[in-house]
Amino acid sequence: MFAKASVALFPALIPLLSFWIARRSDQVFRVTRDSWEKEYDYIIVGAGSAGSVLANRLSEDPRVKVLLLEAGGSENIISDIPIAYQMLQHTPMDWSYLTEPQESSCFGLKDKRSRWPRGRVLGGSSVINVMLYVRGNRLDYEQWVRNGAVGWSWEEVFPYFLKAEDNRDANIAYNGYHGRGGPLTVQSSPYLSPLGAAWPAAGHILGYKFVDVNGPSQTGFTIPQGTIRRGARCSTAKAYLLPAKNRPNLHVIAFAYVTRIIFNEIKRAVAVQFDRFSLSYLVYARREIIVSGGSINSPQLLMISGIGPAQHLKDHGIPIIADLPVGENLQDHIYPGGMTFSINAKVSLSQDRVFNAANLGKYFTKGTGPLTSLGGVEGLAFIKTGRANQSIDWPDIEMHFVTGNVVADGGKGLIGLTGLSPDIWNRVFLPYSPLDTFTIDPVLLRPKSRGYIRLRSANPYDHPIIDPKYLSDPDDVLTIVEAMKIALAIGLSPPMKAFGAKLIETVFPGCEYYVYLSDEYLACVARVFTSTIYHPVGTCKMGSPWDPTAVVDSELKVMGGVTGLRVIDASVMPTIISGNTNAPTIMIAERGADLIKGQLLPPLPSPIIPQYPILGR
Ligand SMILES: Cc1cc2nc3c(=O)[nH]c(=O)nc-3n(C[C@H](O)[C@H](O)[C@H](O)COP(=O)(O)OP(=O)(O)OC[C@H]3O[C@@H](n4cnc5c(N)ncnc54)[C@H](O)[C@@H]3O)c2cc1C
Ligand SMILES: *[C@@H]1O[C@H](CO)[C@@H](O)[C@H](O)[C@H]1NC(C)=O
């Protein structure tokens, strides 16, 4: 009787369900079109974190015609769900890159390769990321300036963080360090698990303050803010492309893969060639071409088009337009996996418990519940190891507190995401699978190791060679070992012990030779389970015209005698910033747009000058 009634009821529910789903997904796909013109003022390659910002800002002037070309399609209702970010990897939304086998790291990963997801979708990696909103440290930007990036000091970039931002957490939005009314919605997840709620207490006991990590002092513990809106992901496509969708002077073309930039006889970039559904097209740029393909694709496209290290291009038979160190200076953020703790309470964000009807209902109707968790990262901490300068606020480690349960899913998460070998999973993690867990990921913020992107071939459809050379600088290992000890102290602090927290005890395969938990043992774990936190930058380095390692100048223009061409995305960072890279990339694009328009915002000092030394740690 009841079953019959619910079957009869179901068709009636469909319109209601579709209403909620449509309301949630914001229908981003409507921004694209299928026709275009022969010529534009600006052509932007790639609609990622940076490209979407540029498309919006440049098309604010109705006299200017802008074309935005994106290799991927649109976001969907799954990519909107904040906790579901893992599900987007190895789908058509992901370039699914793999690094070369590593020589000093990744020993426990399949073929010693690190998996590198990158967004191939309107919104780029801002559609598949964990949404953490972190700007980095003011001293990072001072360091850029010291290295020749004129105009990128903290006072000069701060107004652009504010311009992008619409901060909606009342306790943070009005503290003087945040913007309101900008396109990018920033707020904390409406949901906090009991574990997440205990994070600040763990910090307090160890002597750290609870801070706004984007405020006066970065050092301390926090509950993170993320780029979410009404509990759903706020990608740059949603923030910047959707509001511009009715502008007649902005044409957004999805599924358009740019295969070459074309130069005239005086090395001016004049056109791009792109493939769309097996056909090839040319479009011309009257003013400029802007490459925003991200840290892997931007250097690849430049090299295929003749801009790169001369000998490397010769080896691939590519005619040389400019001899520049494109693809060098690759930097990324890594952490040692394995700082996982078992607990005796059923409080972690375990997949089987999170994805149930009640939680889906909460998410779709109210934008609340555990599905709004920022990829299961419920706490952040910026800390200084003993190897950092103790007298300044420039932490060298960022802890990510992951309350998603990494053992309950039979390895799907860790194996799928990090590429951990199933053998190691079975030995280290499987014995704990009936238990709940949390994990602390200590991320090395300013690695010294440098890698590179090179062409595998001149064919744009071949993935480039990615070699981050993780842990090739021994200093990096020393800092990570110190950070692992602090992670242990946090994981075993009384607020965590209240949940019965215990470090998972299986000795990592390959590390049996060392005394358990000695420095040598921890270093071994770091080299066995080396994990990326997905922040590759630096491959089209910004610097002064006299810097032989620089590719673009401080106005983000490609050097080497080329005109009409800029690179604007994460690849221009001279050194990686001390934090997650999405907000800084959006800032770079906001400022880049104003550089193109020739009207910069005036520098703005932070409201309170931080006092040195910062108390606490
Ligand atoms: C899994 C994951 C989690 C992350 N978590 C966080 C986080 O929590 N917080 C944070 O701050 N950062 C995070 N990041 C990093 C952050 O998302 C990136 O640093 C940022 O999105 C980089 O922006 P971008 O504009 O340089 O490149 P992207 O956003 O990757 O954009 C590049 C775009 O260009 C397109 N494209 C490339 N080549 C071509 C071509 N030839 N023709 C046409 N289109 C092309 C691509 O398809 C893509 O859409 C994460 C990244 C990943 C992958
Ligand atoms: C630490 O930073 C201060 C302030 O910038 C500087 O004067 C000092 O030399 C630094 N110390 C070390 C050991 O680098």
Side-chain angles (χ1 to χ4, degrees):
M1 174 65 197
F2 175 74
K4 257 192 198 153
S6 55
V7 168
L9 217 75
F10 192 65
L13 281 175
I14 288 177
L16 192 67
L17 278 174
S18 338
F19 169 76
W20 287 116
I21 289 172
R23 199 178 105 100
R24 279 268 63 132
S25 64
D26 283 348
Q27 311 273 340
V28 170
F29 55 86
R30 279 199 242 114
V31 304
T32 67
R33 50 190 289 139
D34 290 308
S35 62
W36 53 88
E37 290 163 21
K38 273 206 147 62
E39 209 177 271
Y40 289 84
D41 292 301
Y42 297 103
I43 299 175
I44 303 161
V45 180
S49 294
S52 302
V53 176
L54 286 156
N56 179 311
R57 294 304 185 193
L58 292 178
S59 64
E60 280 173 344
D61 179 352
R63 295 163 303 179
V64 164
K65 287 216 120 185
V66 179
L67 177 67
L68 177 63
L69 297 169
E70 167 55 46
S74 300
E75 307 177 81
N76 59 42
I77 60 162
I78 305 292
S79 60
D80 260 7
I81 303 177
I83 206 171
Y85 85 101
Q86 303 182 0
M87 295 181 186
L88 311 172
Q89 298 185 15
H90 300 275
T91 70
M93 252 186 216
D94 176 11
W95 289 93
S96 304
Y97 289 119
L98 274 178
T99 70
E100 293 303 291
Q102 294 297 287
E103 284 173 8
S104 318
S105 60
C106 303
F107 296 152
L109 307 189
K110 194 165 171 285
D111 303 328
K112 299 190 196 170
R113 293 175 194 269
S114 177
R115 296 187 180 204
W116 279 25
R118 291 279 103 194
R120 177 171 54 196
V121 53
L122 292 164
S125 299
S126 79
V127 175
I128 68 164
N129 74 8
V130 179
M131 296 151 284
L132 300 164
Y133 181 81
V134 177
R135 298 174 183 164
N137 189 292
R138 53 187 294 138
L139 296 175
D140 299 327
Y141 301 97
E142 307 308 335
Q143 185 182 40
W144 287 12
V145 174
R146 276 203 306 282
N147 290 314
V150 180
W152 296 85
S153 70
W154 174 254
E155 275 75 18
E156 286 156 305
V157 304
F158 182 45
Y160 288 100
F161 281 112
L162 300 184
K163 183 179 184 185
E165 185 183 10
D166 183 26
N167 203 304
R168 297 206 183 155
D169 285 347
N171 60 334
I172 288 182
Y174 302 94
N175 71 6
Y177 285 79
H178 291 276
R180 291 178 309 278
L184 188 70
T185 312
V186 176
Q187 55 190 175
S188 50
S189 165
Y191 179 83
L192 197 61
S193 75
L195 274 174
W199 180 248
H204 185 72
I205 280 190
L206 293 170
Y208 295 96
K209 286 195 256 181
F210 187 75
V211 295
D212 169 10
V213 296
N214 300 306
S217 152
Q218 192 187 27
T219 308
F221 275 53
T222 204
I223 305 289
Q225 291 197 298
T227 46
I228 54 172
R229 181 185 289 171
R230 291 188 292 120
R233 178 187 293 278
C234 180
S235 69
T236 56
K238 221 183 256 180
Y240 286 89
L241 294 183
L242 199 58
K245 72 173 197 277
N246 294 327
R247 290 184 194 161
N249 61 330
L250 171 63
H251 290 175
V252 182
I253 315 289
F255 304 111
Y257 183 48
V258 175
T259 53
R260 205 150 67 100
I261 302 160
I262 291 162
F263 298 87
N264 69 9
E265 64 285 357
I266 54 164
K267 298 191 182 184
R268 182 175 178 81
V270 290
V272 302
Q273 187 176 336
F274 68 92
D275 290 352
R276 190 167 193 262
F277 304 131
S278 315
L279 293 175
S280 213
Y281 305 91
L282 262 188
V283 253
Y284 289 85
R286 284 186 286 264
R287 296 194 195 176
E288 284 192 44
I289 293 166
I290 301 149
V291 179
S292 301
S295 294
I296 297 136
N297 293 51
S298 286
Q300 181 188 23
L301 180 61
L302 289 184
M303 289 191 273
I304 286 172
S305 308
I307 298 176
Q311 188 56 50
H312 181 53
L313 300 189
K314 251 184 234 159
D315 293 345
H316 289 287
I318 299 168
I320 296 160
I321 302 285
D323 177 12
L324 288 169
V326 174
E328 298 296 322
N329 192 46
L330 173 61
Q331 300 164 49
D332 190 16
H333 282 151
I334 52 166
Y335 65 90
M339 303 306 287
T340 295
F341 299 78
S342 65
I343 51 176
N344 57 21
K346 297 254 168 262
V347 287
S348 64
L349 295 174
S350 190
Q351 259 191 38
D352 46 333
R353 288 198 296 265
V354 166
F355 283 95
N356 62 31
N359 289 339
L360 283 163
K362 269 189 207 158
Y363 170 76
F364 279 111
T365 57
K366 289 186 289 191
T368 60
L371 270 63
T372 67
S373 161
L374 304 169
V377 178
E378 291 198 287
L380 289 181
F382 284 87
I383 55 126
K384 286 181 259 181
T385 69
R387 298 171 51 79
N389 187 333
Q390 301 301 312
S391 60
I392 51 175
D393 175 41
W394 203 12
D396 53 352
I397 293 290
E398 179 184 5
M399 302 282 179
H400 289 70
F401 182 48
V402 184
T403 59
N405 187 341
V406 296
V407 301
D409 64 354
K412 274 179 252 146
L414 281 184
I415 294 172
L417 250 65
T418 60
L420 189 68
S421 86
D423 176 49
I424 296 197
W425 157 262
N426 288 336
R427 282 163 68 184
V428 177
F429 295 99
L430 184 65
Y432 292 88
S433 61
L435 296 174
D436 269 40
T437 63
F438 67 80
T439 303
I440 300 178
D441 297 336
V443 172
L444 177 69
L445 287 175
R446 289 186 297 285
K448 292 188 177 171
S449 305
R450 297 286 182 270
Y452 56 77
I453 306 276
R454 286 187 192 143
L455 294 179
R456 197 171 300 281
S457 82
N459 179 348
Y461 288 94
D462 278 349
H463 284 184
I465 295 169
I466 302 173
D467 191 346
K469 298 204 170 296
Y470 289 144
L471 301 181
S472 56
D473 190 308
D475 272 359
D476 289 351
V477 186
L478 296 177
T479 309
I480 285 183
V481 166
E482 293 310 308
M484 290 170 89
K485 294 184 209 166
I486 301 172
L488 265 176
I490 299 171
L492 299 176
S493 65
M496 296 294 146
K497 278 248 174 83
F499 299 97
K502 278 199 207 111
L503 181 68
I504 60 165
E505 276 180 340
T506 325
V507 169
F508 261 78
C511 305
E512 298 88 348
Y513 180 79
Y514 303 105
V515 176
Y516 185 61
L517 297 189
S518 64
D519 285 11
E520 293 75 14
Y521 174 81
L522 295 175
C524 178
V525 172
R527 291 197 195 272
V528 167
F529 194 0
T530 321
S531 313
T532 174
I533 205 131
Y534 318 111
H535 298 163
V537 303
T539 49
C540 299
K541 182 184 175 184
M542 162 168 51
S544 86
W546 304 277
D547 179 352
T549 67
V551 172
V552 298
D553 66 15
S554 296
E555 299 198 318
L556 309 178
K557 290 177 177 157
V558 174
M559 300 195 287
V562 171
T563 55
L565 184 64
R566 293 192 213 227
V567 179
I568 305 184
D569 58 24
S571 71
V572 305
M573 292 188 194
T575 42
I576 194 163
I577 57 105
S578 310
N580 313 62
T581 45
N582 193 43
T585 305
I586 292 167
M587 174 281 288
I588 289 170
E590 285 278 13
R591 191 165 185 279
D594 272 6
L595 282 168
I596 292 171
K597 292 175 172 176
Q599 39 174 269
L600 288 172
L601 292 175
L604 188 65
S606 301
I608 310 158
I609 303 299
Q611 289 165 10
Y612 298 110
I614 299 287
L615 296 175
R617 292 206 214 179

